[in-house]
Amino acid sequence: MKKCKKKKGSKKGGKKVDPFTRKEWYVVRAPTQFFKSPADNKVGFTPVNRTQGTKLASDGLKGRVYEVSLADMKEDESQVFRKIKLRAEEVEGRNVLTNFYGMDLTSDKLRSLIHKWSTLIECFVDVKTTDGYFLRVFAICFTKKGESQKKKTSYAKTSRVKAIRKKMVDILTETVSTNDLKTVVDYLIGVSLNGVTTNSSGFAPTLAEKIRIEGSSIFPIHNVFIRKVKVLKTPKIDAAKLSELYASSSTSTIAPTEEVGTTVERTEETTA
């Protein structure tokens, strides 16, 4: 049996440096509209390599996308199925300021909506907000039995399905195209809006509620949801508009040099 010769300099050894010794931690913050208490808008922490030469730490943070549960931010368990995507837009001191970058439903929630004896109706629209954000919005709903219906099934005719889908597209297009991104997000998650007629819960009617109310005049529907929202294109970052999203937050009271942790000295392990 022929023995393989060892290559020169193939010995593995030397000092192993923990990569986290080169990193520093930043606080990730979200716009106050997602929170029950606007004063505390902290989402979590994110690590990044320290600034070295011309390679800035802030450049490594900008553009990162974070996925957060809306239930955690609003402290409302009824929103546990809704996920919000936030994109890092600006870095101020040790704070990463983010903005809305998408919304989605959990897979278990979507699967729980599927039932027999009903018709599923879906649609999507590509529409631009007044402040230049290009969104793709997906909506979904299901037919249901009428109040005095005895028939087991609740299937809708093709003509009714097309009429409901057209109504969904019209509502989504009209609402998104006549508002800025912040107001559109308010319509998605359901918050109190100035000058808008509120529902029984004290909040403005969401896009899903609008579709349910107007679509039910064509055929009884329920389980109406905005299934997904994608941000296809974004305009150039406006620092003034971004700061408005954090107007009532605690970011302005935090010093740029705030320490988010305690430095711990670690002994470097060596291997023979």
Side-chain angles (χ1 to χ4, degrees):
M1 184 176 177
K2 190 176 179 180
K3 293 183 178 180
C4 296
K5 294 182 179 180
K6 292 183 179 180
K7 295 182 181 179
K8 292 182 179 180
S10 62
K11 291 182 179 180
K12 294 183 179 180
K15 296 179 180 179
K16 288 187 177 180
V17 181
D18 187 354
F20 273 84
T21 59
R22 302 192 303 268
K23 297 184 183 293
E24 53 189 8
W25 292 84
Y26 285 74
V27 182
V28 181
R29 299 189 180 273
T32 56
Q33 67 187 128
F34 293 110
F35 291 85
K36 183 178 180 180
S37 175
D40 185 16
N41 61 342
K42 181 171 67 175
V43 173
F45 297 90
T46 185
V48 68
N49 288 333
R50 293 190 184 92
T51 300
Q52 293 181 351
T54 57
K55 193 173 182 180
L56 303 178
S58 59
D59 293 338
L61 291 169
K62 291 178 182 177
R64 290 188 181 183
V65 178
Y66 307 94
E67 189 174 83
V68 189
S69 172
L70 184 61
D72 292 338
M73 293 190 285
K74 280 195 168 295
E75 300 178 10
D76 183 5
E77 291 185 1
S78 64
Q79 300 289 339
V80 70
F81 59 87
R82 192 163 279 137
K83 301 180 292 183
I84 302 294
K85 286 185 178 181
L86 302 168
R87 184 183 181 186
E89 300 287 1
E90 195 61 57
V91 179
E92 290 185 1
R94 286 297 183 91
N95 299 302
V96 181
L97 306 184
T98 61
N99 198 4
F100 178 80
Y101 195 65
M103 190 188 75
D104 200 359
L105 299 184
T106 56
S107 58
D108 61 316
K109 177 65 176 178
L110 280 174
R111 289 165 183 165
S112 69
L113 298 174
I114 307 298
H115 294 287
K116 295 189 294 183
W117 322 124
S118 64
T119 303
L120 183 153
I121 306 172
E122 282 187 297
C123 78
F124 78 92
V125 294
D126 293 343
V127 62
K128 190 176 183 180
T129 62
T130 55
D131 52 353
Y133 287 87
F134 200 68
L135 307 180
R136 179 169 291 166
V137 186
F138 298 80
I140 187 172
C141 70
F142 299 83
T143 58
K144 69 173 184 177
K145 292 182 180 180
E147 292 182 0
S148 57
Q149 181 177 335
K150 294 183 179 180
K151 190 178 179 181
K152 186 177 182 180
T153 62
S154 58
Y155 297 124
K157 293 182 178 179
T158 304
S159 59
R160 298 287 183 90
V161 172
K162 288 182 177 180
I164 293 174
R165 185 178 292 116
K166 184 178 183 303
K167 181 67 70 175
M168 294 166 70
V169 171
D170 291 343
I171 292 172
L172 293 175
T173 303
E174 181 184 359
T175 305
V176 177
S177 62
T178 56
N179 293 285
D180 59 0
L181 182 65
K182 182 180 183 299
T183 308
V184 171
V185 173
D186 289 339
Y187 277 114
L188 293 173
I189 63 178
V191 299
S192 180
L193 293 171
N194 294 328
V196 179
T197 304
T198 58
N199 55 21
S200 58
S201 62
F203 296 108
T206 61
L207 278 172
E209 287 176 346
K210 285 184 176 183
I211 293 172
R212 181 185 60 79
I213 293 169
E214 298 193 24
S216 294
S217 62
I218 302 171
F219 196 94
I221 57 174
H222 70 148
N223 286 341
V224 184
F225 291 96
I226 302 301
R227 184 174 65 83
K228 182 184 287 187
V229 178
K230 290 182 179 180
V231 178
L232 303 180
K233 291 181 181 179
T234 59
K236 191 175 179 180
I237 299 171
D238 189 345
K241 287 187 177 181
L242 185 63
S243 62
E244 289 177 3
L245 301 176
Y246 295 84
S248 57
S249 68
S250 59
T251 54
S252 58
T253 62
I254 298 176
T257 57
E258 179 202 10
E259 294 292 337
V260 294
T262 305
T263 304
V264 179
E265 295 183 0
R266 302 184 62 174
T267 57
E268 297 180 353
E269 297 179 358
T270 58
T271 58

